[in-house]
Amino acid sequence: MKVSPLIFISIVIAYVFGEYLKLIAENHPWRVGVPVALAALIGAALWFLAGRATWVIVTATFILGSVYGLVAGLDARDHDLGDYCKYGAQSQAQLDGCMGHVTTDDIDRLHTPAARFARGETSECGRGSGPYCAEAAKSNAD
């Protein structure tokens, strides 16, 4: 079976785009979720109207890459970012602020107790941890 270069290129671009969307979805899931839903609707319309199978595959690949980015970003938000921010936050405002600007790349670069907690290297809330840490430690133990 011969694979069109356009299909191969679309797979690569969809993966890169999905990784980019993951970083945005970590902090701002609605900024990714709404456009992904719109892209899926447009993709469905193109699928219906398309006369060439290649464009249908390209569109479907792009949508799948977008969905991957959204799902991966939401997963990182629920686990890595949530654990990191819950470790040290002293108030809901601090927790919200942290969730809005910290990324998994930040956590990967740091060697703080909160970063080690988020990566799962420790499950204990250390000195200086906030009141939300116990909740995160309990959910990680389950």
Side-chain angles (χ1 to χ4, degrees):
M1 176 179 188
K2 182 179 174 189
V3 177
S4 166
L6 183 61
I7 293 172
F8 177 75
I9 291 169
S10 71
I11 291 170
V12 172
I13 290 172
Y15 175 78
V16 171
F17 188 65
E19 288 293 316
Y20 171 73
L21 287 179
K22 174 185 175 252
L23 293 175
I24 297 172
E26 288 177 359
N27 300 107
H28 309 286
W30 286 105
R31 289 186 188 172
V32 175
V34 172
V36 167
L38 291 175
L41 290 174
I42 292 169
L46 287 175
W47 188 301
F48 180 72
L49 298 173
R52 294 185 58 196
T54 302
W55 286 107
V56 171
I57 294 170
V58 168
T59 303
T61 303
F62 179 75
I63 291 170
L64 287 175
S66 300
V67 170
Y68 158 76
L70 176 61
V71 170
L74 291 174
D75 183 59
R77 181 177 178 81
D78 289 344
H79 296 99
D80 301 338
L81 291 179
D83 291 347
Y84 177 82
C85 293
K86 287 177 182 176
Y87 185 91
Q90 298 293 327
S91 67
Q92 186 64 45
Q94 282 184 341
L95 181 60
D96 293 341
C98 179
M99 294 292 285
H101 76 274
V102 173
T103 67
T104 53
D105 289 342
D106 297 331
I107 295 169
D108 290 341
R109 280 194 301 270
L110 296 172
H111 301 287
T112 63
R116 287 193 293 277
F117 182 79
R119 288 191 296 263
E121 295 170 13
T122 182
S123 60
E124 296 178 11
C125 297
R127 204 172 58 186
S129 62
Y132 301 100
C133 186
E135 172 192 331
K138 184 178 183 238
S139 68
N140 288 342
D142 293 340

